[in-house]
Amino acid sequence: MRAVGTERDRLTVPQGLAALSLDALASVAYGPEAIVLVLAAAGARGLDFTLPVTLAIVVLLAALTFSYRQVIAAFPNGGGAYAVAKAHLGRRVSLIAAASLIIDYVLNVAVSVSAGVAALTSAFPSLYGDRVVICVAVLALITGANLYGVAESAKVLILPTVVFVVAVFTVIVVGLLRSHPVTAPTPVGPATETVSLLLLLKAFASGCAALTGVEAIANAVPTFRKPRVVRAQHTELALGGLLGSMLIGLALLIGHFHVGPNSTKTVLAQLTEAAFGDNAAFYVVQFTTVALLALAANTSFGGMPVLTSLLARDHHVPHVFALRADRQVYRHGVLVLSGAALVLLIGAQGDTQALVPVFAIGVFIGFTISQVGMVRHWRQQRGPGWRGRALLNGIGAVLTAAATVVELIAKFGKGGWLVFLAVAVLVLLFEAVHRSYAGIGRALRVGEVPGPPVQERSLVVVPVGAVNRLTQEAIGTALSLGDEVRAVTVVHPDDDEGPSESHVRQAWDAWHPQVPLTVLSSRSRSLTRPVVDHLRELAAAGEHERLVVLIPEMHLPHPWQRLLQNQRGVLLDRAVRRHTDAVVCRLRFRIELPR
Amino acid sequence: MRAVGTERDRLTVPQGLAALSLDALASVAYGPEAIVLVLAAAGARGLDFTLPVTLAIVVLLAALTFSYRQVIAAFPNGGGAYAVAKAHLGRRVSLIAAASLIIDYVLNVAVSVSAGVAALTSAFPSLYGDRVVICVAVLALITGANLYGVAESAKVLILPTVVFVVAVFTVIVVGLLRSHPVTAPTPVGPATETVSLLLLLKAFASGCAALTGVEAIANAVPTFRKPRVVRAQHTELALGGLLGSMLIGLALLIGHFHVGPNSTKTVLAQLTEAAFGDNAAFYVVQFTTVALLALAANTSFGGMPVLTSLLARDHHVPHVFALRADRQVYRHGVLVLSGAALVLLIGAQGDTQALVPVFAIGVFIGFTISQVGMVRHWRQQRGPGWRGRALLNGIGAVLTAAATVVELIAKFGKGGWLVFLAVAVLVLLFEAVHRSYAGIGRALRVGEVPGPPVQERSLVVVPVGAVNRLTQEAIGTALSLGDEVRAVTVVHPDDDEGPSESHVRQAWDAWHPQVPLTVLSSRSRSLTRPVVDHLRELAAAGEHERLVVLIPEMHLPHPWQRLLQNQRGVLLDRAVRRHTDAVVCRLRFRIELPR
């Protein structure tokens, strides 16, 4: 969800399609391939089932499209699986939905990046050996762009989306019109198993990866231009229509050209080459695919911070994830997402089809939860025609639940268990964080009116070095703040080059600022230890109720000049805050230098 | 220089040899090879000059040994080239000495690591392809050990040093007693040029890399046990004798076996194999060489912080380099050294002999400067027998100056210019830092007695969130510190989920802490911006002379619980200190949570 600005900045239908549906549309780059890869085990006979399996997936897509059309109407403030489940299915189920969504965001990044790199290496096979390095580089690029806040504009995204969709349809039409392929695709190998129901279910389960991303529009209704619900619904229908047509078209073309799987050339690349030959058009399609998949990976970086900020507001993840304003704080979500995707990319050695089988599991858990939640929603509302609506979402729920079960059976051994484990671990973490925040709330007595604030007697301790303008400023400030002020300094009697105690005392007495100086003599070379020990003694003596340490520092205007400052202030600040209960104040004394 | 402890912790002669001469002794692993590599261009006829060239180097070593024996007596507090030049040749020359020393420290790390890895790959040729990766790993290991403060004890170093020296002498004796090599070394290829004076000078210049490190003892006289000067002088003589004998012995053995250069097997490895055969003894020598070279690289990590801390005390590098006490501050020197060595190692692709030719240049600049300085020293002192001493150092100065000129002529095109450039850039940087510190000193009026500190009227501003125990504590502390206290809070009217202005006011009025609350309404999502703007307005209004911001934060005991804290405090602290002159105080409120 992008930052909500003025009405003019919000999305129209084509912009919504580009900004929110790009990862769903881009999944045609790996979805059909996932089907072919499974069916090829049964040879040419198996590949004949590409179209039927694809049609089953498109039926599911239709159910999802109409179901989500209703979600949009029911949750105009953004109806992600987490929000729907929170409203209608309880906290625990909502956390399962959130965990599966987070896993999807991570998998979307990993799958999109590796599929994009596969499209690139299909065009330039010599790069195939370096695919993991290229994947990491692309991921680093996307991460960097998000860390430094390159906001993509929906308008900018329209062009690559349109080019990609047009290119895929052109491949389909040109290909189907040809009686023979220009360049022969990889033939299907001999069958190693027969066409069984399990094989078809596996193909269906893997191909469902093509449906990932269809929920994104429903999550982001507030980003549409008015009338928001209508525009979002139109966008959802357009997405369903486009994605369904592309999937059916590609399935027809796969059957038409008898395309088999090839580890170094994607199915989409083979179809493109078969339709156009190895010419400029082929490279245009490949480059568009690369660009679109990189942008598809990028959509996770937009979605994950919204989800984590919702979770943070509900105290399920650390509150830093809810700090959306200051750019550096977006970092948390971006870095977590990027780090997890990096692990997956390296673990899978940049192989898309090693990741795709598990991708759909998390997505379908989320689909099922939101559909079930919607049935509950209509039953509670009981508005006009609620039965029809509940039935539609109910059909969606049954189909997605069935698909989830199929996926689990088909892929549990192939990494599906890992998704389960990850969901369980995430839910336990959410719960642990929630418990901790509840404890903090009790400690802060949130909800109660606290007693009146108590004014106490204060002692300000000022660690000083030499006597100079900075010291003058620091003691003046301390006098303005405290009921009593004491200066402290540390001397190292073992250090021949440093100042001696008598020398320091002499300089102080020459100044006579009416503030007592305590000279701490230390044999250890540590600067912070003697000060911390002294503060603890003062606190233990208990003469003052409020102990404050005022650390004076010089401040130089230019960043490179700041290298000239020593880090005493930083070290002292850290040590005092770690080891004592004193309030730490830091005073900056600005120094203007020439240049 | 290690931390100076009690007298018992200080060095005896054998310990001094291990702790301070290890890198000089280890240079026999690459010095003779550098000579062979140059002379082999003239074929077998060229290699016959290995012994004469080595003898010339040993003459230079003798001159240096006796010269440094005098430096030790004259500068018992550590007489590195920088100290000698500072005392007798002026600031500018001392900075040139310091720059060349820093370059040496870096080159010593790079050369020792790559030579150690070459010893390893000589034993295991299959690792040769991965030598750059291994170099980086070894460097990372040494860096890590130094960052985490693994203090090496001189006693621990004695064993590998003794084993190495004994091993090298055993190779020499066993080898010279054999009439035929057990394993034939690489034959010398055909001559591509004739034996010319330039070739011999080049061989001499490259071989001088074997003399690096002989100045280390003179730099560290205070680390010896009493009588310090005598022990240090004995150590210097022992080093000169051992190193000279090893160099001559190895030169004899090279001639005896007619060893030619080999890119994957070091000359020392070839000699060892020729003397012992490919058996356990060979591997023992190789492993000892690897260990000794890793330790030799480590000596730079001991020496560089001492030099940079001296430079920092003289205001030539940032003062952080002088902060030796807190472990994390050693980091600056360690990381700069390690980063520079990394660049060299990768740039040279882990090839020792690409680095050795320039290594000696920096060292000899330092040698020459300190010898010239010593001549001045004796002339000023005019003690009994000063002419003899001045003559000895004068001979040293002439020889090292001649060697420096030879090296420059022989290697200017082969990277020598880079050393020159680096020295020039470092000297300019030292000067720039010095000028800046002079400016800071003027701004702080260092040396003057400042006026009396001025007590002023203070306003403490407390940014608050909700009303709870933390807020109570913060307002109480603010009342203890300021003449006036005001609370501020930020609301975002565009944010449906956040608290509204009226809601915040209501909670505040219910508490009625007798402190006014300013509600800042902001359309931007930034938390810090409105607070900073408000502080600037308060400062511009000029009603208060001392503006203080008190930032309350909760503090949780366990590190993982700290992940639960939001970073508002950090962000606000940074923003306020960057954009205003307000004093920033941070109050920690400790919260104890179960677990």
Side-chain angles (χ1 to χ4, degrees), chain B residues 377-436:
Chain B
H377 174 80
W378 301 123
R379 280 188 56 181
Q380 280 178 13
Q381 298 252 316
R382 291 183 184 265
W386 72 269
R387 280 173 207 279
R389 295 203 173 103
L391 183 69
L392 188 55
N393 283 126
I395 293 170
V398 170
L399 287 179
T400 51
T404 311
V405 171
V406 166
E407 275 161 27
L408 280 177
I409 294 168
K411 304 175 200 163
F412 194 81
K414 276 195 160 185
W417 62 273
L418 208 63
V419 174
F420 253 76
L421 188 69
V423 168
V425 168
L426 281 176
V427 169
L428 289 177
L429 278 177
F430 295 154
E431 296 279 20
V433 169
H434 197 79
R435 270 198 306 280
S436 295

Side-chain angles (χ1 to χ4, degrees), chain A residues 127-139:
Chain A
L127 296 176
Y128 182 73
D130 298 323
R131 68 193 181 285
V132 180
V133 176
I134 301 173
C135 281
V136 172
V138 171
L139 180 62

Side-chain angles (χ1 to χ4, degrees), chain B residues 25 28 54 58 61 169 238-250:
Chain B
L25 295 173
V28 302
T54 303
V58 171
L61 171 63
F169 278 117
L239 166 62
L242 280 175
L243 181 56
S245 322
M246 288 200 287
L247 288 175
I248 294 173
L250 289 174

Side-chain angles (χ1 to χ4, degrees), chain A residues 159-340:
Chain A
L159 182 69
T161 310
V162 168
V163 172
F164 178 76
V165 171
V166 168
V168 170
F169 279 116
T170 311
V171 168
I172 292 168
V173 172
V174 170
L176 287 178
L177 291 178
R178 279 197 202 283
S179 47
H180 295 290
V182 182
T183 309
T186 311
V188 188
T192 56
E193 52 183 287
T194 55
V195 178
S196 63
L197 183 62
L198 184 64
L199 188 80
L200 293 180
L201 287 178
K202 273 187 188 170
F204 171 79
S206 289
C208 280
L211 303 185
T212 57
V214 300
E215 79 287 3
I217 295 165
N219 294 349
V221 184
T223 58
F224 278 90
R225 211 178 281 182
K226 282 175 183 165
R228 307 197 204 298
V229 168
V230 175
R231 286 194 199 258
Q233 287 181 325
H234 285 344
T235 310
E236 184 76 53
L237 286 179
L239 165 62
L242 281 175
L243 181 56
S245 323
M246 288 199 286
L247 288 175
I248 293 173
L250 289 175
L252 286 171
L253 201 55
I254 288 166
H256 183 62
F257 285 143
H258 307 289
V259 173
N262 177 329
S263 67
T264 62
K265 191 166 260 184
T266 65
V267 166
L268 187 60
Q270 291 187 54
L271 292 174
T272 308
E273 219 177 351
F276 293 155
D278 185 12
N279 55 20
F282 169 71
Y283 290 94
V284 167
V285 175
Q286 290 311 112
F287 280 122
T288 312
T289 310
V290 174
L292 206 77
L293 284 162
L295 293 171
N298 198 40
T299 57
S300 280
F301 287 90
M304 177 117 150
V306 177
L307 178 62
T308 49
S309 77
L310 288 175
L311 285 168
R313 286 183 179 209
D314 294 339
H315 316 298
H316 287 122
V317 297
H319 287 165
V320 282
F321 288 102
L323 274 183
R324 292 168 59 200
D326 291 89
R327 203 182 59 186
Q328 56 265 51
V329 184
Y330 270 106
R331 274 187 193 161
H332 294 88
V334 170
L335 289 177
V336 165
L337 178 57
S338 172

Side-chain angles (χ1 to χ4, degrees), chain A residues 313 325 437 444 451 456 473 480-481 497 511 525 546 564 577 580-581 584-586 588 590, chain B residues 313 325 437 444 451 456 469 473 480-481 497 511 525 546 564 577 580-581 584-586 588 590:
Chain A
R313 286 183 179 209
Y437 276 123
L444 293 179
E456 295 167 316
E473 191 74 13
S480 315
L481 290 177
E497 307 244 351
W511 184 34
R525 296 232 27 138
R546 266 289 148 209
L564 300 177
R577 291 202 292 145
T580 78
D581 280 323
V584 175
C585 299
R586 284 167 76 179
R588 293 193 132 184
R590 279 175 204 271
Chain B
R313 285 181 179 210
Y437 275 123
L444 292 179
E456 296 167 315
R469 280 278 292 120
E473 191 75 12
S480 315
L481 289 177
E497 306 243 350
W511 183 35
R525 297 233 24 140
R546 267 289 147 206
L564 300 178
R577 291 202 293 146
T580 78
D581 280 323
V584 175
C585 299
R586 284 168 75 180
R588 292 192 131 183
R590 280 175 203 271

